[in-house]
Amino acid sequence: MTSGRRILLIIAGGIAAYKSLELIRRLRERGIEVRAIVTTAGAEFVTPLSIASLTGERVFSDLFSLTDEAEIGHIELSRSADLIVVAPATADIMAKMAGGHANDLATTALLATDKPVLIAPAMNVRMWTHAATQRNLDILRQSNVSVVGPNEGDMACGEYGPGRMAEPEEILQAIEALLQAKPEPLLRGRKIIVTAGPTQEPIDPIRYIGNRSSGRQGYALAAAGQARGAECVLISGPTTLSAPLGVRVIKVTTAEEMRQAVERELPADIAIFAAAVADWKVANASSEKIKKTAATKVPSLLLQENPDILASIARHQRRPPLVVGFAAETENVVDNAKAKLARKGADLIIANDVSAKSAVMGGERNRVHVVSAKGVDSWVELSKAEVAVRLMELFAGMLQARRKAAE
Ligand code: C5P
């Protein structure tokens, strides 16, 4: 669907520029044409020659000559693209964009465009959290600039935190979402709550009980719902994923915080519980770091059951008309899901095999079984993004059928 579309990629000066080369390769694989502008600082990190080899086009930079400007000016550069992508977007280029500067080819093209713009910020964590950068980000968001990332993680400068550029795959997904003809707004006017990711239950201020959930399926669901016109709220445990376009993300840590956040968001039309909530929390969690001394024995943890968020919302006074749970199982996948449907009071359980051989946990693909009171529908293996789209179509159909039946 995106084949033949054109992107103007602006590569600014950051160490993450090497990931933009991979991005170009992935875009070209999908038949998307890429023209690139590299800033003077950007050319310190990746050479115009590498960019040109991958785009198959000449690269534009500030070293352009007057003849180039006559052949293809900055106006034409931005006019001929369907979308402008700035990756990496440094603190400096974000500041220039927010301030409306136009003192080089990249910023001039950005100021002269009426095309949608997507930025993938990448910088040191302190630069990212600096009030000036956050102010500029607000200004850019208000001007309808879309933002993907940054992610949290180890940084090239040796620090840890938010500031790592989104991975090429994530930028690609954001690009595809912006380029694709908008899907039908099947869920317009609906509010959807999605829980996603793991929870962390503290043992002491440093340690916690967690799990391997990446949050990918839940994030993909929120993105798919939002793209189909719904207002999606994503209540997420700690993950390294970036917020899907337009989705409001509420970050939580523990199961109890997740439950409270879900309750606060009621009423809603659909609630989807894709989070891997810890079944137990530590009843005797310590407010000080538990010390390892020769005198102390191995400490015992006293576990206590966590609230079952899905079950409590399914029996809530303000129960959403459609309550959907997930069942991650390593054996008897379908049978366990059927039992869970009744026990939890959900309308649907989406069951999947998370045994080590399936590589679902943390992976990109998923094979699900849709379990309802009517029976079981086993789907073929799909990407998590595709599973999300098809589920949203299913949910929209179910809500519509109920509305018709009520009429
Ligand atoms: O019982 P089990 O953990 O397998 O149930 C999985 C489903 O229940 C998922 O949809 C999960 O998000 C939800 N759940 C919950 N609160 C819990 C445990 C599970 O919402 N404490």
Side-chain angles (χ1 to χ4, degrees):
M1 244 192 289
T2 45
S3 176
R5 310 298 295 278
R6 282 176 297 196
I7 285 193
L8 176 64
L9 175 67
I10 296 178
I11 302 177
I15 184 71
Y18 75 93
K19 291 194 201 169
S20 303
L21 297 181
E22 171 68 9
L23 176 64
I24 296 172
R25 203 180 59 75
R26 306 281 284 267
L27 288 166
R28 301 274 294 141
E29 270 171 12
R30 279 164 179 70
I32 299 173
E33 290 174 27
V34 186
R35 262 187 185 156
I37 295 179
V38 60
T39 65
T40 312
E44 298 287 328
F45 292 91
V46 284
T47 69
L49 185 60
S50 336
I51 305 168
S53 320
L54 288 165
T55 58
E57 295 247 5
R58 58 155 302 193
V59 176
F60 299 87
S61 69
D62 283 316
L63 305 170
F64 70 114
S65 67
L66 278 177
T67 18
D68 293 336
E69 183 63 11
E71 273 170 27
I72 176 160
H74 57 276
I75 306 282
E76 178 52 25
L77 265 178
S78 52
R79 193 175 289 162
S80 62
D82 297 303
L83 171 70
I84 303 191
V85 179
V86 188
T90 57
D92 181 63
I93 202 161
M94 283 175 62
K96 285 177 176 159
M97 288 170 74
H101 290 227
N103 57 357
D104 61 7
L105 183 60
T107 48
T108 310
L110 282 162
L111 197 63
T113 193
D114 57 356
K115 295 297 164 62
V117 177
L118 171 71
I119 62 170
M123 65 199 72
N124 165 276
V125 54
R126 285 162 216 267
M127 292 168 80
W128 173 250
T129 50
H130 195 286
T133 304
Q134 291 301 311
R135 227 170 21 237
N136 291 331
L137 182 67
D138 283 345
I139 294 172
L140 292 175
R141 284 214 166 105
Q142 280 160 27
S143 332
N144 269 335
V145 168
S146 301
V147 185
V148 54
N151 292 342
E152 203 174 297
D154 289 320
M155 312 200 59
C157 53
E159 291 192 72
Y160 182 93
R164 264 169 76 115
M165 187 166 88
E167 294 304 316
E169 179 62 30
E170 290 164 317
I171 303 176
L172 194 63
Q173 277 178 17
I175 290 173
E176 286 185 324
L178 287 166
L179 280 184
Q180 262 156 22
K182 276 209 180 331
E184 251 193 277
L186 297 170
L187 290 159
R188 186 164 39 209
R190 307 286 194 186
K191 177 170 176 184
I192 305 180
I193 301 172
V194 184
T195 69
T199 65
Q200 292 179 352
E201 308 298 331
I203 296 171
D204 66 20
I206 313 299
R207 307 174 178 103
Y208 60 83
I209 298 178
N211 62 67
R212 291 184 199 283
S213 166
S214 66
R216 278 186 212 286
Q217 187 62 76
Y219 276 60
L221 280 159
Q226 191 79 23
R228 277 153 194 79
E231 175 205 344
C232 287
V233 184
L234 185 57
I235 300 172
S236 171
T239 72
T240 56
L241 303 175
S242 40
L245 287 182
V247 172
R248 182 155 57 91
V249 181
I250 300 171
K251 287 271 189 184
V252 296
T253 308
T254 64
E256 184 49 38
E257 285 168 22
M258 187 173 272
R259 188 191 63 74
Q260 287 177 18
V262 172
E263 277 214 19
R264 270 197 300 270
E265 290 300 328
L266 293 176
D269 298 285
I270 310 178
I272 306 168
F273 297 89
V277 184
D279 289 316
W280 307 283
K281 65 180 169 193
V282 182
N284 58 341
S286 167
S287 54
E288 304 294 336
K289 184 181 170 196
I290 302 170
K291 295 241 170 4
K292 191 178 93 175
T293 61
T296 41
K297 296 198 201 101
V298 175
S300 317
L301 299 181
L302 189 62
L303 297 182
Q304 181 185 353
E305 209 166 322
N306 255 332
D308 189 315
I309 310 171
L310 164 56
S312 77
I313 299 298
R315 297 186 171 93
H316 201 277
Q317 261 186 332
R318 286 180 291 165
R319 181 195 198 275
L322 196 53
V323 172
V324 182
F326 273 73
E329 304 285 352
T330 52
E331 54 196 340
N332 299 335
V333 178
V334 171
D335 286 344
N336 284 330
K338 281 185 189 160
K340 213 161 274 181
L341 186 74
R343 195 170 70 241
K344 303 234 179 191
D347 298 288
L348 287 176
I349 290 280
I350 315 302
N352 54 7
D353 181 352
V354 293
S355 56
K357 66 177 192 302
S358 75
V360 166
M361 276 279 183
E364 294 286 347
R365 299 185 71 76
N366 206 354
R367 178 158 195 272
V368 302
H369 311 269
V370 179
V371 181
S372 70
K374 285 196 198 140
V376 182
D377 189 8
S378 295
W379 292 6
V380 295
E381 188 188 285
L382 297 165
S383 73
K384 288 183 176 175
E386 261 170 294
V387 168
V389 167
R390 292 188 190 199
L391 283 176
M392 284 299 161
E393 286 168 358
L394 174 71
F395 302 159
M398 287 175 76
L399 286 182
Q400 212 173 10
R402 284 197 200 174
R403 185 184 277 176
K404 277 214 183 107
E407 276 168 10

